[in-house]
Amino acid sequence: MRQIGKALPRREDGRLLRGQARYMADMAFEGLLDAIVVRSPFARARILSVDASQALAAHGVVAVLTADDLVGVEPALTRQFYSLTPAFMERHQVFLGPYREPILAQDRVSRMGEPVAFLIATDRQAAEDAAELVDVDYEPLEPIVDPLRAMAPGSDLVVSDVPGNVQASFHIIVGDPGSAVEAADRKVSGRFRIGRSVGSPIENRGAVGVPATGNEPLTVWSSTQIPHILRAYVAEFLRCPQEDLRVVAPDMGGSFGGGVYAEELLVAFAARLLGQPVRWLEDRRENLANARHSRDQIIDALLAYDTSGSFRALEMRIVQDCGSANLFGLTLPFNIASHARGQFAIDHFDVTGLCVLTNKTRNTPVRGAGRPEATFVLDRLVDMAAVDLSVDPAELRRRNLIPAREMPRDMGMLYRDGAPMVYDSGDFPDQLRTALEAFDYWGERRRQREAAGSNLAHGIGVSSHVEATGLGPHETARVEIDNSGTVVLTCGSNPHGQSHATTLAQVAGEALGVRYDRIETRFGDTGLLERGGGTFGSRSAVTAGTVVHGASVELRRRILDLASEMLECDPADLIIRDGYVGPRGVPGISLSFAELATATADRAAGTGAGARLRAEDEYVPPTVTFGSGTHLASVLVDRETGVVTVTGYVVVDDCGTVLNPMVVDGQQHGGVAHGIGNALLEEAVYDEGGQLLSGTFIDYLLPTAADVPDIEVIHRPHPTPLNTLGVKGAGEGSTASAPGAIANAIADALRPLRIEINELPITPQRLVELIRAAEAEQMEDPPGN
């Protein structure tokens, strides 16, 4: 019954492919009402008045809620999505300003698309028609869309209680970076800009509030990654106990990040107020303008090194554009800081992070959440240093990688959970060797030289990353045998594409001697488990996998103990196979799981004790565990059009114990595709008036199958000692390295023009401008002069 490590088929696919999934738009309740959000067309304005009288008189309209109607509730989000230890805050000089995001704007708006009113009608068409009748009188103000301008002395404030528009900051010093930089032989530096992107899942957001009826509490159905966390926010908003609420996440068409949104709270309030179910469904234009924005940093960085190529110090200043509110505090810039040194032995480090408010959509962690940005900057600095030293970039990397013998390696700072940041396991040099061999790196270099002079320039890029995975605080699971003998697995981590029903069933099935496809799995419902964490931060394999393993091992012990009593033999002499327990070597004697479950119920009858054969567990990780990867990419760059084609790609991955290689390969492929989009295509562009110019998929470009090459994935696992399974996360790592590998490949292809790629995405227009400027400069000052 060995199942962990096998590429077993996904259990989810049959139901999904047969159209049996149930998404938010499929939710049907008696008396269901539809809601539309009336949004601000301005990025910054005073609200002089809101008149909903015409809308209320329109056909089908039931209610129009404004800020004045939020009576008896908390009118703003004030709970931040993180907590930091006092020791962390003191050591890293953390400043945290207030966080307050209105549920519905009252006297002013701070971004285009900010909710101003919540209109509820008998159907969607009536709601959309009536929304145009809500009359809001605005006094437009000049918006602030540049974070550097936002920090400038005398700048207007995005919100009145955040002076200087810096909502949070930190400063980390490891070693003696000042002296190391001064003593170093050489330095490279640059300003790097990472464009704003949008996590664009297949399914838009949605939520339904269902009023309490009979024994059922007020229930919020939502396309959320974090049902238990959302329940806490709804309880705080409605000022009621969490026990009076239930949150359910049905099937989801992806996510990539996000958090908690006003619309999820408003459907709960409206359902309670009106006594009818209220549904809100987002369209794609709303999604692109209002949900899951990320990246958007300006990073000044310097790498100091010796003529031998040894890295001495790294300095960084991160300016994070947080948009109009900062629900996640230090998360994004601190993730950059904690991953900034990557796989390299850099003992001296100085980094400052600034979280700056602007009049844009709020920024959230989207797949990678700081790791792609950190990796891109470091990858570019390393390649710039290689050019400066006339050393092949792969060789320069080899000289500076942390050797396996130094693992675990303390990186000299604290992670966000307050624990020392330690690379717990891995072999970075082996990763690089494996990637170079699989890619035929030196053969590619030869072919590159042979093709020199063609209009299609051939480039090769290398990237390496680390990824902190398995962040706490906790995860919970219950594994039980029902009366039919079926194993039922319930977990607080709910999937939106990560294959929980397959991989977690493999973990439970191996421990219990049951085929994974015979285990019933339940996720995403606070009514099933009182506590739960959620699915984010590459944590599911670590936290959910470990807690499911712990609960399954305990249930196995209870099964063997009960069977040993009933069969009058030692538990050590029993084996479990395919739902039956019997003495080893005696095939004619056994008890089924159903018989054991019945015996448990009979024993509990009349005692008031639980009548199920079950085990529950909660896992709190001691700290994060570090996955890692090395990527190589080859590209062709058309010098005339600036079009970049990714022609080859190799990933060498270390996610610790591989639960299911096929699932992990899928995560790697998806991560690379996401990274290609961030590198070449995706950018949420605002004009000076704070208007989003890329509000449709005509303007906001996503990678298609034609943009993604064949990807070879090689697993070089080094199990972590930090959990019983030895697993590390794998959901975000490939997104971290793809932009850096591609940027390095483009710069490599255009090396004769001495072009540096310091901005993402690398669009054809930007690349053509760089090429033309470099060609003009060379005509004025030819190489060698």
Side-chain angles (χ1 to χ4, degrees):
M1 302 302 289
R2 290 287 299 175
Q3 297 174 64
I4 293 175
K6 292 186 177 181
L8 300 175
R10 276 177 29 109
R11 299 178 60 208
E12 297 88 339
D13 291 340
R15 185 174 61 87
L16 297 175
L17 293 171
R18 288 192 297 268
Q20 295 173 334
R22 193 181 185 205
Y23 298 100
M24 285 308 308
D26 299 320
M27 297 291 107
F29 301 92
E30 185 177 352
L32 181 66
L33 304 174
D34 276 297
I36 290 288
V37 179
V38 178
R39 300 183 182 277
S40 168
F42 298 102
R44 185 167 178 246
R46 294 189 182 92
I47 298 177
L48 303 180
S49 64
V50 180
D51 184 357
S53 58
Q54 291 187 59
L56 284 167
H59 169 72
V61 173
V62 176
V64 180
L65 303 178
T66 66
D68 292 337
D69 297 307
L70 299 182
V71 178
V73 299
E74 174 56 53
L77 280 170
T78 55
R79 171 197 289 252
Q80 294 190 340
F81 199 89
Y82 64 97
S83 60
L84 301 173
T85 66
F88 174 91
M89 295 185 67
E90 180 179 357
R91 179 165 171 178
H92 295 327
Q93 303 176 45
V94 172
F95 162 75
L96 290 176
Y99 167 71
R100 184 174 177 81
E101 184 178 19
I103 305 301
L104 291 171
Q106 185 162 26
D107 56 354
R108 63 179 58 235
V109 292
S110 298
R111 65 172 178 87
M112 186 198 84
E114 184 169 347
V116 177
F118 197 60
L119 186 146
I120 303 149
T122 53
D123 59 75
R124 175 84 179 202
Q125 182 176 343
E128 289 183 348
D129 291 344
E132 299 180 7
L133 301 176
V134 178
D135 183 17
V136 184
D137 187 8
Y138 296 97
E139 179 186 336
L141 302 171
E142 183 181 359
I144 305 165
V145 295
D146 181 346
L148 299 181
R149 177 190 156 201
M151 292 190 298
S155 175
D156 287 348
L157 300 182
V158 174
V159 295
S160 60
D161 53 357
V162 179
N165 291 315
V166 177
Q167 193 273 341
S169 65
F170 62 85
H171 185 201
I172 299 169
I173 296 178
V174 179
D176 186 359
S179 298
V181 169
E182 185 176 350
D185 299 323
R186 312 289 282 270
K187 307 173 188 66
V188 290
S189 62
R191 169 164 287 185
F192 301 86
R193 294 178 179 266
I194 296 92
R196 177 173 283 238
S197 69
V198 184
S200 303
I202 297 172
E203 181 190 19
N204 296 323
R205 294 180 299 146
V208 179
V210 181
T213 55
N215 294 325
E216 284 295 317
L218 173 63
T219 300
V220 175
W221 294 75
S222 175
S223 51
T224 180
Q225 304 168 232
I226 45 175
H228 288 85
I229 294 173
L230 175 57
R231 183 181 62 175
Y233 276 81
V234 176
E236 185 172 283
F237 170 61
L238 296 180
R239 299 176 181 170
C240 71
Q242 293 190 36
E243 295 74 23
D244 293 347
L245 300 169
R246 179 186 176 198
V247 173
V248 184
D251 293 308
M252 291 176 63
S255 179
F256 304 115
V260 175
Y261 294 91
E263 296 89 351
E264 295 168 304
L265 310 183
L266 287 168
V267 295
F269 176 77
R272 188 176 72 172
L273 177 71
L274 301 174
Q276 288 180 254
V278 176
R279 175 177 64 183
W280 170 78
L281 296 175
E282 179 183 60
D283 63 31
R284 184 58 66 177
R285 189 181 291 271
E286 278 185 296
N287 182 273
L288 287 169
N290 298 284
R292 302 180 179 92
H293 284 203
S294 195
R295 318 299 188 223
D296 204 356
Q297 297 95 2
I298 299 170
I299 302 175
D300 294 310
L302 178 148
L303 178 66
Y305 48 95
D306 293 340
T307 53
S308 65
S310 295
F311 299 159
R312 296 305 181 197
L314 177 66
E315 295 181 341
M316 272 190 180
R317 180 177 184 264
I318 305 160
V319 175
Q320 172 70 59
D321 187 334
C322 293
S324 62
N326 185 23
L327 174 63
F328 289 87
L330 300 177
T331 299
L332 290 167
F334 189 84
N335 275 0
I336 296 174
S338 55
H339 295 80
R341 289 174 285 171
Q343 299 185 1
F344 300 115
I346 302 175
D347 295 325
H348 303 283
F349 182 45
D350 187 332
V351 57
T352 298
L354 302 167
C355 297
V356 184
L357 301 183
T358 63
N359 294 118
K360 299 178 186 173
T361 293
R362 67 169 174 172
N363 223 322
T364 64
V366 165
R367 194 178 200 171
R371 298 159 179 95
E373 300 93 307
T375 306
F376 165 68
V377 172
L378 184 60
D379 283 338
R380 291 299 304 122
L381 288 172
V382 171
D383 269 37
M384 291 162 64
V387 171
D388 177 50
L389 294 169
S390 299
V391 175
D392 184 272
E395 169 59 22
L396 184 60
R397 288 171 176 276
R398 185 195 64 77
R399 296 179 190 177
N400 288 280
L401 291 172
I402 297 169
R405 65 177 179 276
E406 292 188 12
M407 294 293 188
R409 192 177 205 271
D410 192 324
M411 299 304 290
M413 57 184 283
L414 300 181
Y415 195 67
R416 275 192 294 131
D417 57 9
M421 195 178 99
V422 176
Y423 292 176
D424 48 282
S425 65
D427 189 339
F428 303 149
D430 175 69
Q431 263 185 28
L432 179 61
R433 284 192 300 270
T434 303
L436 294 175
E437 291 171 4
F439 193 79
D440 187 20
Y441 181 78
W442 301 111
E444 281 293 302
R445 284 292 184 206
R446 185 183 66 253
R447 288 185 283 275
Q448 179 187 36
R449 291 190 294 271
E450 292 169 352
S454 167
N455 182 57
L456 292 177
H458 180 199
I460 304 166
V462 187
S463 171
S464 61
H465 70 270
V466 295
E467 183 194 6
T469 69
L471 184 65
H474 65 271
E475 195 52 88
T476 57
R478 179 172 62 244
V479 186
E480 58 191 320
I481 313 294
D482 70 12
N483 292 335
S484 70
T486 300
V487 178
V488 180
L489 163 61
T490 307
C491 187
S493 175
N494 64 297
H496 45 274
Q498 295 89 346
S499 309
H500 284 37
T502 299
T503 55
L504 296 184
Q506 286 178 253
V507 172
E510 180 165 311
L512 294 171
V514 179
R515 282 175 51 89
Y516 80 110
D517 54 0
R518 295 184 181 178
I519 295 177
E520 181 180 333
T521 54
R522 298 173 180 174
F523 308 104
D525 186 344
T526 64
L528 299 176
L529 284 172
E530 177 56 30
R531 284 168 54 80
T535 302
F536 54 90
S538 296
R539 74 191 299 269
S540 295
V542 176
T543 58
T546 301
V547 75
V548 166
H549 180 258
S552 300
V553 169
E554 173 59 21
L555 180 58
R556 177 187 178 88
R557 185 191 65 78
R558 295 180 184 183
I559 289 171
L560 293 175
D561 285 348
L562 177 59
S564 71
E565 291 182 31
M566 296 175 67
L567 295 173
E568 298 181 347
C569 64
D570 193 302
D573 295 331
L574 296 175
I575 61 170
I576 304 177
R577 181 172 295 278
D578 210 17
Y580 289 86
V581 187
R584 194 182 312 274
V586 187
I589 302 176
S590 65
L591 294 169
S592 69
F593 278 6
E595 290 173 307
L596 292 169
T598 299
T600 302
D602 290 343
R603 292 185 179 194
T607 67
R612 289 291 183 95
L613 186 55
R614 64 169 57 170
E616 296 190 25
D617 199 6
E618 179 168 302
Y619 174 66
V620 179
T623 184
V624 292
T625 177
F626 277 86
S628 59
T630 298
H631 293 209
L632 272 80
S634 59
V635 303
L636 290 176
V637 180
D638 188 320
R639 290 190 180 93
E640 293 298 319
T641 65
V643 171
V644 176
T645 304
V646 183
T647 57
Y649 211 97
V650 168
V651 174
V652 179
D653 171 70
D654 174 10
C655 64
T657 300
V658 179
L659 298 180
N660 185 315
M662 182 180 66
V663 168
V664 176
D665 287 355
Q667 291 276 24
Q668 297 295 327
H669 290 183
V672 170
H674 196 155
I676 289 172
N678 284 177
L680 300 177
L681 302 167
E682 298 180 56
E683 186 171 22
V685 179
Y686 285 83
D687 66 13
E688 293 182 355
Q691 296 296 309
L692 182 66
L693 302 180
S694 51
T696 72
F697 279 152
I698 296 174
D699 307 293
Y700 187 90
L701 302 181
L702 292 172
T704 68
D707 301 301
V708 181
D710 289 338
I711 302 167
E712 180 180 1
V713 178
I714 301 168
H715 301 292
R716 304 292 276 191
H718 291 267
T720 177
L722 297 181
N723 59 68
T724 54
L725 291 174
V727 292
K728 308 172 184 177
E732 302 172 271
S734 276
T735 306
S737 263
I742 292 167
N744 278 345
I746 295 170
D748 181 62
L750 301 175
R751 186 64 58 211
L753 294 175
R754 295 177 290 186
I755 288 174
E756 297 300 348
I757 306 296
N758 291 353
E759 183 172 3
L760 297 177
I762 313 157
T763 62
Q765 179 180 345
R766 284 193 179 124
L767 198 52
V768 165
E769 290 172 355
L770 289 171
I771 291 170
R772 298 291 175 266
E775 289 174 339
E777 184 177 341
Q778 287 200 356
M779 289 183 66
E780 295 178 4
D781 184 20
N785 283 8

